[in-house]
Amino acid sequence: MSDTGFLSARFRRGDMTPMEKIWQMSWSLLFWVSCIFAFGFAMLYSAGNGTDGPGSFQPWAIPQLIRFIIGLGMVTAIALIDVRLLLRYAYIFYAVVLVLLVAVDVKGIIGGGAQRWIDFGFINLQPSELMKPALVLALARYFHGVGTEEIGRPSILVVPIIMTMVPVALVVKQPDLGTALLIMASAGGLLFIAGIRMWKFGLAILGGIGAAWGVWPVLHDYQRNRVLTFLDPERDSLGAGYHILQSQIALGSGGLFGKGYLAGTQSHLNFLPERQTDFIFTMLAEELGMVGGLALLALYVIVLIYGYAIAFRCRHQFGRLVAMGLTTGFFLYFFINIAMVMGLLPVVGVTLPFISYGGTALLTLMLCVGLIMNVHVHRDVQMAMRGGFTDF
Amino acid sequence: MIITRDSDWTKMFTRRAAILGGTQAALVATLIGRMYYLQVIQSDKYKMLSDENRISTQLLPPPRGRILDRFGQPLAYNKQQFQVLVIPEQAPKISNTLDALAQLIDLSEHDRERIKKEVQRKRSFVPVTIKETLTWDEMSRIQVNAPDLPGIIIDEGLTRFYPQGDLASHLMGYVGAVDEDDLSGDPVLQLPGFKIGKDGAEKIYELTLRGKGGTKEVEVNAVGRSIRELERHEGESGNDVVLTIDERIQRFTAERLGGESAAVVVMDVHTGDLLAMVSNPSFDANAFSRGLTTEEWKGLIGNDHNPLINKVISGTYSPGSTFKLVVTLAALEHNVISPDQTLFCAGHDPKIPAFHCHKVHGSVSMVRAISTSCDVYFFEVARRLGPDKIAAMARRLGLGAVSGIGLPSEKVGLIPTEAWKKSARKGERWTPGETLNMGIGQGYVSVTPIQLATMVSRVANGSVAVKPRLVRPAISRNITTPVTEDEHVGGLESLDIPAEHLAILRQGMFDVINGPPGATTAMQFGRLRFKDPERKDWTMSGKTGTAAVRSFTPAEREQYKRNPDTLPWRLRDNAFFVCFAPSHAPRYAIAVAVEHVEIGGGGGATAAPIARDIMEEVLRLDPSHKPRVESEQVATAEGNHT
């Protein structure tokens, strides 16, 4: 430990041993993530129906725990990968996921119905989920080589916009507007961090609103309805209004301290839809009250701060962009879900990170944690613009 | 170069990250604000909505009060009943289950169709009734085979039961399903299967008997399935109604009447208590409660003895000679004839010879005119009085008005006056012959048996305006003191008929039964005395009456006399008898009306022996001087029945 100079030099060069890398991992970040998961585990236990009343490890809590443990292994494994390899293979990874997305679409067309996943036997993989980290990596790779003066050029935006819009279009076609918006928003966040001029964002947003405004009046009624239903899938059916109302009743009736663990009437008497996935926050807030909700938010904010801190500590642009992009995506995840169940946003299918039941979502999240961890471990590695070793 | 670029970039990154972080912080603050709004500010509202969601309030039907006789014998109570139901979600294949069940109990095609329809319409956890009122055998067969009958359950319920069968059915009425018109705002009426009184005492004391519905709060889930019971507020069960009827006398009377189409009222002359009120033939109220079959209904409707009509209050008859009580008192009051003055009966009216007497009586005084029921005497008296004075006395004695017991479909009858005829018959004038007819209780005069009982009670009790009473007042829990004269209803008006007048009338009525030969209707001499050795010294007083339903030509009369069987039942005379006993201290009055008696069987031959037998039984039991039983004993009495 006395030879810190030697060590830091090796850190800069990135040729650490696996044990050194494990030593460098942010175990406290994993601790907080595990705290969130533990919270989720407890809620999934509550969501399960036991033989006498609510509370069961099956069918949700235990499978999810197994996935989380696998996920922890994955985080470690990813953290050990040389960050330069990530940089080098970022585009290839992106391309592979894009192909999977197309495959899902093609399969959907052949199968005659909308499908979002590919069955690999052991897991139903949703490429749209994987696209989030893949796009972040690809965009980070792209902007890693772009200097501050180049960033002002409009031409620099062509490639990232194409890179973003192609998967977004594919996901929209599935149709999965929620995920598409999430992909677009996290890409936007990354572009913002990368240093795209503010006015260009303003212009894009205005342009988007303007386009919608201009096209709206010329649309036929059925087209408008299609769009509205698209934005809000269960619009004007009894369903959407009913679900969101029941969700608000559950939340509100929970009050400050909740109805007690396993004692959420709205949740357990089935007034609440999807209590193990999209509406799990509602059940949490019904049973544990505002106190429980705030506790979860606090945990999320802690993880968020870790993400920021890792981005700040990182010495290379690629790492910073990856960390910020993924952190922004993580924020959007829980923000949209909680805002949705509280009636602030329309119902879109976005799950609550680390809490909702679901394999792909959890493993994707663990993949993201792994990437952030990787950035953390390799924070001092000096990287050339195109991913080679920097020469001193 | 690289360093500069890097520091520029770092500066921008820091700035941008701060903006992003700030935005995210603001959005998290929005979430917290919304959480606060929903979970703290609006919490009460949502708590209420949440309870509304999960708590379903269900009504509990109150147990209906019983109907008891004066000594607590149950005449109507609720009996446990078993029904079989199926819970569709627990029966994997309904039709298989029904097939298996059909081996054990009768199940018609029609029933199966109905069950299938209900199963489709209702949620799968809602039980569907397969059959109500299972017999004990059927129930045990189902219980034994329960393992092979998935989804089948047996449920207990209460059903109205009349333990005395067809006894007093007219009086009790029956219960039936609630009609649209019955809905009065009481929510229990909306309960499926709830039954209310449809006739008789069940109907008029409906509110007393019904009680108040309770509620139970049940936690239900989103599809309405009950999860558990949260709270239960028992309603108030209905109060018992204690009738004045003595079940034993009621039964004795009904049995004594046998197959006659008849009506009998037994009444306490002081209190007005109706000790028996029998309309014969009767029907089984239980059949009404469970629903009549078509055959049963046709049988009741097609019977010319009109089992469905309560003849005591709805049968209107010309009272015949029993009406002479009224005419006698009117004559004395208006002093149209002195009691001692005799009139000569030559077998027909001296002025209108077409008006016959049933016999040639010779010279008759007032007492003898009553005891021999001499029509000629009363023709003359009526002529002297005129219809309006007779009518006034009839009304004072309770004729021509409803009894006030409140039973549905009571008839008023008719006490005619000159004015009545003018308005009812388009100005036709009252004829002298009609006065004569009225004098012997024929013609337009029409009364109900309960009015006759009231009339004779008022004569017997010393002209107090007693009214028939069906329900015992002040249903107290522990009355053990004998009900005697002190329960003698205070506040009843006197009719202001002088005692001497009543004495003359009662002497006549005494002689009808106990008079020397020749002073009474000879045929009946001695036969109407009590047979029971213990009551040999007791006597009763009464008056016979026979009323023609139709007037016959002399030729017809001859023919029917020779061949009585050729006279259709419907055209035969009605027989009446009114009486009270004991003669020296009247307590009980009886009015008997027997429809369409055989030729030669008038009031004296048919109605009077019935009255005598009943009176003997009434005197033996003497219900008015017996204490009521305590409520605990009532409960045991009921226990024996179930």
Side-chain angles (χ1 to χ4, degrees):
Chain A
M1 287 305 286
S2 57
D3 195 2
T4 48
F6 166 73
L7 200 62
S8 67
R10 279 177 54 202
F11 278 15
R12 279 194 293 279
R13 286 204 310 278
D15 53 351
M16 292 169 279
T17 65
M19 274 319 290
E20 280 166 349
K21 286 189 179 182
I22 287 174
W23 184 251
Q24 283 300 313
M25 274 168 67
S26 171
W27 290 100
S28 53
L29 170 60
L30 274 188
F31 169 76
W32 292 116
V33 166
S34 301
C35 282
I36 300 178
F37 177 78
F39 222 138
F41 182 78
M43 293 327 292
L44 288 177
Y45 175 80
S46 174
N49 274 329
T51 42
D52 40 58
S56 166
F57 287 114
Q58 294 291 350
W60 295 309
I62 291 293
Q64 193 75 349
L65 179 66
I66 291 165
R67 286 174 194 147
F68 184 72
I69 291 165
I70 293 170
L72 286 178
M74 212 169 75
V75 168
T76 316
I78 292 168
L80 298 184
I81 298 170
D82 193 312
V83 73
R84 286 159 294 194
L85 286 178
L86 288 182
L87 186 73
R88 190 175 295 156
Y89 294 113
Y91 287 152
I92 291 169
F93 181 47
Y94 170 82
V96 167
V97 176
L98 199 62
V99 167
L100 288 177
L101 259 184
V102 173
V104 171
D105 267 11
V106 169
K107 201 175 160 224
I109 291 161
I110 293 166
Q115 220 176 11
R116 296 178 186 181
W117 65 85
I118 297 173
D119 189 357
F120 279 103
F122 65 99
I123 189 168
N124 285 330
L125 189 76
Q126 285 189 44
S128 58
E129 287 284 337
L130 270 185
M131 185 40 96
K132 289 169 208 164
L135 181 62
V136 166
L137 281 176
L139 288 174
R141 164 82 171 85
Y142 180 81
F143 284 106
H144 179 64
V146 177
T148 34
E149 56 280 349
E150 286 170 285
I151 204 94
R153 277 188 237 140
S155 60
I156 207 84
L157 284 171
V158 174
V159 173
I161 286 174
I162 290 170
M163 276 202 294
T164 307
M165 293 319 287
V166 169
V168 163
L170 287 169
V171 174
V172 162
K173 254 192 83 194
Q174 280 185 353
D176 185 356
L177 191 72
T179 308
L181 285 173
L182 263 177
I183 293 173
M184 214 147 66
S186 37
L190 195 136
L191 260 58
F192 181 77
I193 290 290
I196 303 301
R197 299 285 177 265
M198 295 281 205
W199 63 266
K200 285 179 185 158
F201 278 97
L203 202 68
I205 292 164
L206 284 179
I209 295 170
W213 192 270
V215 167
W216 192 252
V218 285
L219 290 177
H220 288 289
D221 273 354
Y222 78 90
Q223 286 170 320
R224 274 187 227 174
N225 274 332
R226 200 173 279 176
V227 173
L228 286 172
T229 313
F230 193 48
L231 286 169
D232 180 1
E234 286 165 294
R235 190 180 68 95
D236 74 11
S237 73
L238 194 68
Y242 177 79
H243 288 165
I244 209 68
L245 176 69
Q246 292 304 337
S247 175
Q248 289 188 31
I249 290 173
L251 275 157
S253 60
L256 200 53
F257 298 105
K259 293 175 183 170
Y261 183 56
L262 302 180
T265 56
Q266 288 280 107
S267 314
H268 294 300
L269 298 174
N270 292 332
F271 290 99
L272 199 63
E274 304 286 328
R275 64 171 181 268
Q276 80 282 17
T277 56
D278 290 8
F279 284 90
I280 198 164
F281 182 80
T282 308
M283 183 174 75
L284 185 151
E286 185 189 15
E287 295 192 344
L288 307 177
M290 186 175 171
V291 172
L294 285 179
L296 182 65
L297 267 184
L299 288 173
Y300 279 142
V301 169
I302 288 170
V303 169
L304 213 55
I305 289 169
Y306 266 85
Y308 276 81
I310 287 169
F312 274 99
R313 286 279 311 279
C314 183
R315 293 212 183 179
H316 45 87
Q317 202 173 357
F318 176 71
R320 286 180 170 181
L321 290 175
V322 167
M324 284 305 292
L326 294 176
T327 307
T328 307
F330 171 72
F331 168 79
L332 287 170
Y333 245 111
F334 78 77
F335 172 77
I336 290 177
N337 177 271
I338 296 175
M340 171 185 93
V341 301
M342 292 201 295
L344 289 175
L345 287 177
V347 177
V348 285
V350 175
T351 56
L352 192 61
F354 302 116
I355 306 280
S356 289
Y357 177 78
T360 313
L362 182 66
L363 290 176
T364 307
L365 279 161
M366 294 308 269
L367 175 65
C368 295
V369 173
L371 290 172
I372 290 176
M373 200 60 86
N374 183 288
V375 169
H376 182 66
V377 170
H378 299 91
R379 58 190 176 272
D380 290 327
V381 173
Q382 303 216 336
M383 283 198 287
M385 300 288 277
R386 296 290 176 245
F389 290 95
T390 310
D391 252 308
F392 289 99
Chain B
M1 180 67 183
I2 290 168
I3 303 299
T4 326
R5 256 178 55 192
D6 197 43
S7 82
D8 280 357
W9 202 88
T10 304
K11 255 164 73 186
M12 189 204 56
F13 173 80
T14 310
R15 203 169 56 234
R16 293 278 167 116
I19 294 171
L20 208 56
T23 314
Q24 290 176 359
L27 290 175
V28 168
T30 313
L31 292 184
I32 293 170
R34 178 71 174 173
M35 225 184 274
Y36 182 75
Y37 174 78
L38 290 176
Q39 300 198 274
V40 177
I41 297 177
Q42 298 272 42
S43 183
D44 288 343
K45 171 184 142 192
Y46 286 120
K47 273 180 184 143
M48 205 182 70
L49 287 173
S50 156
D51 281 348
E52 272 175 25
N53 263 346
R54 78 186 175 98
I55 297 171
S56 146
T57 305
Q58 296 172 0
L59 270 175
L60 297 169
R64 193 172 177 83
R66 297 172 303 172
I67 301 179
L68 308 172
D69 91 336
R70 65 189 293 114
F71 296 121
Q73 272 303 314
L75 300 175
Y77 61 87
N78 308 309
K79 196 176 159 191
Q80 212 168 34
Q81 157 209 261
F82 297 98
Q83 54 176 356
V84 58
L85 307 123
V86 63
I87 302 175
E89 67 174 4
Q90 291 173 13
K93 288 211 118 187
I94 291 270
S95 51
N96 289 358
T97 304
L98 292 183
D99 284 342
L101 194 63
Q103 310 277 316
L104 306 171
I105 60 169
D106 269 349
L107 213 56
S108 68
E109 245 341 278
H110 179 251
D111 281 337
R112 298 186 61 144
E113 282 304 307
R114 173 188 58 80
I115 293 161
K116 272 184 197 150
K117 257 185 220 155
E118 275 193 60
V119 167
Q120 280 165 7
R121 220 182 37 210
K122 291 179 174 168
R123 288 179 188 274
S124 63
F125 55 83
V126 178
V128 171
T129 308
I130 294 177
K131 198 177 179 193
E132 286 181 326
T133 56
L134 290 181
T135 63
W136 187 261
D137 267 2
E138 287 174 325
M139 208 237 352
S140 28
R141 251 177 291 164
I142 294 171
Q143 295 281 41
V144 168
N145 291 284
D148 306 328
L149 299 167
I152 295 288
I153 53 164
I154 287 180
D155 189 35
E156 309 175 6
L158 291 176
T159 181
R160 198 63 163 169
F161 182 64
Y162 303 96
Q164 320 289 349
D166 59 2
L167 187 69
S169 297
H170 298 103
L171 193 54
M172 312 294 300
Y174 52 91
V175 293
V178 179
D179 290 331
E180 205 61 35
D181 305 340
D182 299 324
L183 294 175
S184 61
D186 187 342
V188 299
L189 295 181
Q190 314 242 21
L191 278 171
F194 193 78
K195 290 187 171 165
I196 60 166
K198 286 297 190 179
D199 201 356
E202 294 273 27
K203 183 174 185 176
I204 57 179
Y205 299 109
E206 170 62 28
L207 291 181
T208 315
L209 291 165
R210 188 191 296 161
K212 285 209 172 73
T215 53
K216 75 174 171 182
E217 290 187 345
V218 182
E219 187 171 82
V220 295
N221 71 4
V223 287
R225 180 204 297 268
S226 310
I227 304 296
R228 65 200 166 106
E229 191 174 301
L230 300 172
E231 243 183 43
R232 201 182 176 94
H233 303 282
E234 291 294 349
E236 289 170 33
S237 39
N239 284 315
D240 291 346
V241 167
V242 180
L243 300 182
T244 56
I245 299 293
D246 184 331
E247 179 258 332
R248 299 164 301 176
I249 297 173
Q250 182 83 10
R251 178 176 302 283
F252 181 89
T253 305
E255 280 166 7
R256 177 64 183 82
L257 286 174
E260 299 279 11
S261 178
V264 174
V265 182
V266 181
M267 190 166 154
D268 182 311
V269 301
H270 293 304
T271 61
D273 281 1
L274 294 164
L275 298 164
M277 204 171 143
V278 179
S279 177
N280 213 47
S282 186
F283 57 89
D284 186 356
N286 292 312
F288 276 76
S289 256
R290 71 156 194 261
L292 290 173
T293 63
T294 321
E295 294 89 78
E296 282 173 322
W297 178 245
K298 277 185 185 153
L300 289 171
I301 284 294
N303 190 337
D304 62 356
H305 285 36
N306 291 326
L308 290 180
I309 290 173
N310 185 358
K311 300 182 183 96
V312 172
I313 53 166
S314 304
T316 54
Y317 307 95
S318 292
S321 300
T322 57
F323 194 70
K324 288 170 184 166
L325 272 56
V326 172
V327 182
T328 305
L329 288 177
L332 288 166
E333 182 162 285
H334 296 285
N335 205 18
V336 295
I337 187 166
S338 147
D340 304 325
Q341 189 185 339
T342 57
L343 295 175
F344 189 78
C345 166
H348 56 81
D349 186 71
K351 293 189 180 133
I352 315 175
F355 282 80
H356 291 271
C357 192
H358 54 91
K359 222 182 137 197
V360 180
H361 291 102
S363 132
V364 285
S365 68
M366 184 176 279
V367 170
R368 196 155 174 271
I370 298 166
S371 64
T372 59
S373 200
C374 176
D375 290 345
V376 169
Y377 183 90
F378 283 96
F379 288 149
E380 178 55 28
V381 171
R383 189 167 14 238
R384 294 184 191 178
L385 279 165
D388 291 3
K389 282 174 184 155
I390 300 172
M393 181 53 76
R395 290 185 173 280
R396 273 163 78 188
L397 293 176
L399 305 182
V402 289
S403 65
I405 57 171
L407 286 178
S409 64
E410 180 170 353
K411 296 264 168 60
V412 186
L414 176 67
I415 299 300
T417 57
E418 287 187 55
W420 166 80
K421 190 177 183 198
K422 223 171 206 173
S423 68
R425 297 288 151 105
K426 292 180 185 142
E428 270 181 52
R429 286 185 60 86
W430 185 270
T431 66
E434 283 165 351
T435 309
L436 267 53
N437 254 341
M438 191 172 176
I440 59 163
Q442 301 254 21
Y444 296 124
V445 182
S446 148
V447 301
T448 61
I450 200 168
Q451 289 169 355
L452 288 178
T454 308
M455 173 186 78
V456 72
S457 291
R458 288 178 180 189
V459 167
N461 68 14
S463 89
V464 173
V466 70
K467 281 186 168 160
R469 195 166 72 173
L470 185 57
V471 170
R472 305 214 73 177
I475 304 158
S476 164
R477 282 287 169 197
N478 55 349
I479 293 175
T480 45
T481 49
V483 185
T484 49
E485 303 276 333
D486 20 294
E487 207 191 278
H488 194 239
V489 191
L492 281 183
E493 285 173 50
S494 168
L495 294 168
D496 290 326
I497 297 170
E500 322 73 275
H501 296 180
L502 287 172
I504 291 161
L505 174 61
R506 287 201 207 154
Q507 182 61 51
M509 291 173 74
F510 179 84
D511 286 353
V512 166
I513 291 155
N514 311 291
T520 178
T521 27
M523 186 168 66
Q524 300 306 334
F525 172 68
R527 282 181 50 194
L528 291 175
R529 298 204 180 162
F530 293 134
K531 290 182 272 185
D532 187 338
E534 279 192 35
R535 264 160 285 279
K536 262 233 145 78
D537 301 335
W538 293 32
T539 57
M540 70 176 191
S541 307
K543 182 73 196 83
T544 56
T546 308
V549 177
R550 213 186 101 176
S551 50
F552 300 109
T553 61
E556 280 174 326
R557 209 184 301 273
E558 271 310 300
Q559 186 211 325
Y560 292 141
K561 224 168 217 166
R562 260 181 283 121
N563 290 314
D565 293 342
T566 56
L567 177 61
W569 182 76
R570 291 221 134 267
L571 300 181
R572 297 178 187 171
D573 294 347
N574 290 332
F576 302 94
F577 192 71
V578 294
C579 61
F580 60 84
S583 300
H584 57 280
R587 184 71 211 226
Y588 304 106
I590 296 179
V592 177
V594 183
E595 288 184 345
H596 312 306
V597 292
E598 282 174 34
I599 289 183
T606 313
I610 292 171
R612 190 264 327 273
D613 291 350
I614 296 168
M615 187 63 91
E616 207 164 20
E617 181 70 6
V618 172
L619 290 174
R620 191 176 71 78
L621 296 170
D622 199 14
S624 291
H625 293 92
K626 297 277 159 57
R628 293 183 218 175
V629 290
E630 286 187 65
S631 55
E632 285 74 28
Q633 287 171 272
V634 176
T636 345
E638 191 215 16
N640 293 337
H641 280 271
T642 43

